[in-house]
Amino acid sequence: MNFFPNFHIYWTIIYLLTYYSSVVYSSGGCFCKLEGRIDDCSCNIDTVDYFNNIKLYPILRSILVTDFFRYIKVNLNRGCPFWPDDGKCAIKDCSVKTCPEEQIPPGLKGQGFGVKSRKNGKSAQGEEACDENNDSLGAVNQTISEENYEEFQRWQKHDDSVDTFCEMDDENSSELQYVDLLLNPERYTGYKGPSAHRIWNSIYKENCFRFGGGYGPYTTSKNIDAMCLEKRAFYRSISGLHSSISIHLCGQYYTKGKDCFTKGEWGINVEEFQRRFDPKYTNGEGPHWLKNLYFIYLLELRAIAKAAPYFENEIYYTGNEENDEQVRVAIKKLLEISKSFPDHFDEKVMFRGNDKEARKLKEEFRQHFMNISKIMDCVGCDKCRLWGKIQVQGLGTAFKILFSKDMPTNYSVNNRKDFRLSRTEVVSLFNAFGRLSNSVYNLEKFRQLLGHNHKTEL
């Protein structure tokens, strides 16, 4: 039985019905009916809407429910490195259900990404399997002193850190636990107040690039052009991530029952969406924040397309060969769709010019984002922390793909040592992009529900 049915015709019909019903519902659109070119890109918003909602969203959604991508190992107990913990969120929806070891697919236990190879007798690095009975033939003494070994480890850590944009959990830590993402969906938990506000304030005021000339600590649509391209890209990425998370919370919002006999339910909260994005409540900035969602979408889409040769050579091993093969087929299809996008984000225009200044700016860019990834350990709600870590790790992985000096043009098992991604990085990237894809898709629902007699042209 085909594990991944052909959704294309079905979702095309659904999308067209949705689109035309929204046109009938209103002659124009709401503030979230954005039009025009995406800032610092050559692509239009309607191009992304069609490409995502018709071509990419259905197959990406089917991939993320598979065992390889639904399970992730994460440490939710690391202390906040920047300020004293405010205490854990006590609301029951803040908690995360972890998985007992016996429920984890056997191929994921204790293994890194791509441990096995498609070809028998070879490892993921393409090395021939050894005959253990002949270990004395032509043997080389590979022993090294403890001092030299520690030095090699320091070199490796330095080399890895140069192109690492994100603080990742130590995969060997006993604090890590398996989490089933399908059992812990991202949605509104009730986590708010000073603790939640401190997270975003710290990200924007202390870790986004600052302005000179009296602009103040926050970036707005009125002063962002005073920044260079790299700094604008950094801000748009963070703002787009923030917008995406907000859309998820508005799309999966818990509404209490009207009385003690009526059960509450999860669903779309239009009023909350308006509060977060309507120009009336955001000093005119809400539509610009929504537009930044499209920017980060293009950035992560470009990372996946650029690393397509890498992903095509992996096997997504869980121990269930039939399902693993179906995942590989679906991934190949997804990568073909990603590469077919007509107007990809162009990372080559960034960090150019004077070599010394470009290196300095890239390192500053990297350090700012590294701090943001550490801030995720300060989130008081476990479920918010889980999805915050995944989405920040996913964005950090996209930066690594786009800006690493060792990212090969044509990946093969032979140059794996030059560039590799951990399983956590891969799972985070695809789930993070899945969240962006979901946000773009759900914006159409809000457009239907908020139809007014005007369009927002930015």
Side-chain angles (χ1 to χ4, degrees):
M1 184 176 70
N2 187 0
F3 190 69
F4 296 99
N6 187 347
F7 288 100
H8 183 76
I9 296 176
Y10 172 78
W11 283 104
T12 299
I13 294 172
I14 293 297
Y15 180 75
L16 291 176
L17 288 174
T18 299
Y19 174 76
Y20 285 114
S21 66
S22 66
V23 172
V24 171
Y25 183 80
S26 67
S27 59
C30 71
F31 62 87
C32 52
K33 182 59 180 176
L34 308 174
E35 292 185 327
R37 189 173 65 86
I38 300 169
D39 297 310
D40 290 322
C41 298
S42 60
C43 181
N44 288 332
I45 284 176
D46 57 354
T47 302
V48 174
D49 282 335
Y50 176 82
F51 178 84
N52 178 75
N53 297 350
I54 296 296
K55 294 186 174 183
L56 195 145
Y57 174 77
I59 191 169
L60 180 57
R61 186 180 180 187
S62 69
I63 288 171
L64 295 179
V65 300
T66 64
D67 285 352
F68 187 88
F69 289 99
R70 69 185 285 185
Y71 293 106
I72 192 168
K73 213 172 183 183
V74 64
N75 184 358
L76 297 176
N77 297 313
R78 287 170 57 170
C80 175
F82 299 110
W83 56 76
D85 284 340
D86 294 325
K88 295 281 186 176
C89 172
I91 304 171
K92 68 173 184 176
D93 291 309
C94 286
S95 63
V96 169
K97 302 172 185 175
T98 57
C99 297
E101 189 82 12
E102 58 270 17
Q103 290 185 12
I104 305 303
L108 299 183
K109 296 179 182 179
Q111 294 191 0
F113 184 49
V115 170
K116 293 195 175 182
S117 169
R118 302 184 193 197
K119 296 181 180 180
N120 293 330
K122 289 189 177 182
S123 70
Q125 286 76 22
E127 298 168 345
E128 297 291 342
C130 295
D131 183 349
E132 295 181 358
N133 294 324
N134 292 328
D135 59 357
S136 61
L137 298 178
V140 175
N141 187 340
Q142 295 179 324
T143 58
I144 58 175
S145 68
E146 184 175 340
E147 180 181 356
N148 284 337
Y149 181 76
E150 292 177 354
E151 187 64 24
F152 292 155
Q153 287 186 313
R154 284 194 291 271
W155 293 349
Q156 185 63 49
K157 286 181 180 179
H158 172 74
D159 291 341
D160 291 343
S161 68
V162 171
D163 289 322
T164 299
F165 287 79
C166 190
E167 178 84 358
M168 303 292 291
D169 289 329
D170 180 2
E171 293 189 346
N172 297 316
S173 172
S174 60
E175 293 289 324
L176 267 65
Q177 293 177 294
Y178 282 104
V179 173
D180 183 344
L181 298 180
L182 298 187
L183 296 181
N184 296 277
E186 183 182 25
R187 57 191 184 185
Y188 182 76
T189 63
Y191 175 60
K192 56 186 178 180
S195 176
H197 291 309
R198 179 188 282 185
I199 300 296
W200 288 111
N201 283 339
S202 178
I203 288 173
Y204 283 117
K205 295 179 70 172
E206 299 175 23
N207 291 286
C208 277
F209 289 93
R210 303 291 294 275
F211 285 106
Y215 284 107
Y218 287 102
T219 306
T220 70
S221 60
K222 299 178 180 62
N223 59 29
I224 191 171
D225 287 335
M227 306 174 82
C228 67
L229 171 62
E230 291 79 4
K231 294 180 180 181
R232 292 199 306 271
F234 189 95
Y235 167 75
R236 293 194 201 284
S237 298
I238 300 303
S239 172
L241 176 62
H242 193 179
S243 295
S244 182
I245 292 173
S246 295
I247 292 171
H248 306 155
L249 305 186
C250 297
Q252 286 290 313
Y253 197 96
Y254 185 74
T255 302
K256 293 182 179 180
K258 295 180 180 179
D259 52 54
C260 59
F261 302 103
T262 307
K263 287 186 64 175
E265 59 183 15
W266 295 94
I268 289 179
N269 188 317
V270 176
E271 292 75 20
E272 182 69 15
F273 181 81
Q274 286 182 291
R275 187 184 70 79
R276 290 173 184 259
F277 294 110
D278 195 312
K280 293 186 297 185
Y281 307 120
T282 59
N283 294 320
E285 292 296 314
H288 296 277
W289 297 340
L290 289 174
K291 209 168 189 181
N292 289 332
L293 163 65
Y294 288 84
F295 179 87
I296 186 178
Y297 179 97
L298 289 179
L299 189 148
E300 293 194 12
L301 174 65
R302 168 57 184 156
I304 289 174
K306 183 176 182 179
Y310 186 100
F311 297 131
E312 287 167 351
N313 277 275
E314 295 299 345
I315 62 169
Y316 308 97
Y317 179 72
T318 66
N320 185 326
E321 182 53 38
E322 182 180 356
N323 281 357
D324 292 348
E325 179 59 28
Q326 290 171 344
V327 172
R328 290 192 285 270
V329 171
I331 288 288
K332 184 177 180 181
K333 180 63 176 177
L334 176 71
L335 296 174
E336 290 173 355
I337 294 172
S338 300
K339 289 186 290 185
S340 72
F341 186 73
D343 294 299
H344 274 295
F345 176 81
D346 185 6
E347 75 281 1
K348 294 188 294 296
V349 300
M350 296 179 63
F351 305 114
R352 299 176 63 180
N354 181 280
D355 286 346
K356 183 177 180 181
E357 289 299 318
R359 286 196 301 270
K360 180 180 177 182
L361 182 59
K362 180 181 176 182
E363 178 59 19
E364 191 176 358
F365 188 105
R366 192 182 72 82
Q367 289 292 344
H368 275 301
F369 195 77
M370 185 73 74
N371 278 345
I372 290 175
S373 70
K374 294 176 181 178
I375 290 174
M376 292 301 102
D377 287 317
C378 300
V379 177
C381 164
D382 279 348
K383 192 169 290 182
C384 306
R385 178 184 294 206
L386 168 67
W387 283 103
K389 286 170 76 78
I390 289 172
Q391 290 171 89
V392 168
Q393 286 172 177
L395 180 54
T397 303
F399 287 149
K400 179 178 177 178
I401 291 170
L402 295 178
F403 304 127
S404 291
K405 66 182 186 306
D406 291 328
M407 177 67 193
T409 304
N410 295 308
Y411 174 79
S412 69
V413 291
N414 294 324
N415 59 13
R416 184 182 181 87
K417 293 179 181 178
D418 297 329
F419 182 89
R420 81 175 290 274
L421 299 172
S422 67
R423 179 178 176 275
T424 299
E425 288 176 311
V426 174
V427 173
S428 294
L429 174 60
F430 277 80
N431 272 283
F433 185 62
R435 294 281 76 204
L436 299 177
S437 177
N438 182 269
S439 293
V440 171
Y441 183 84
N442 276 300
L443 268 182
E444 190 60 46
K445 296 180 182 179
F446 286 107
R447 287 167 186 152
Q448 294 174 57
L449 297 170
L450 286 168
H452 297 297
N453 295 321
H454 69 275
K455 288 186 179 182
T456 302
E457 175 98 31
L458 295 181

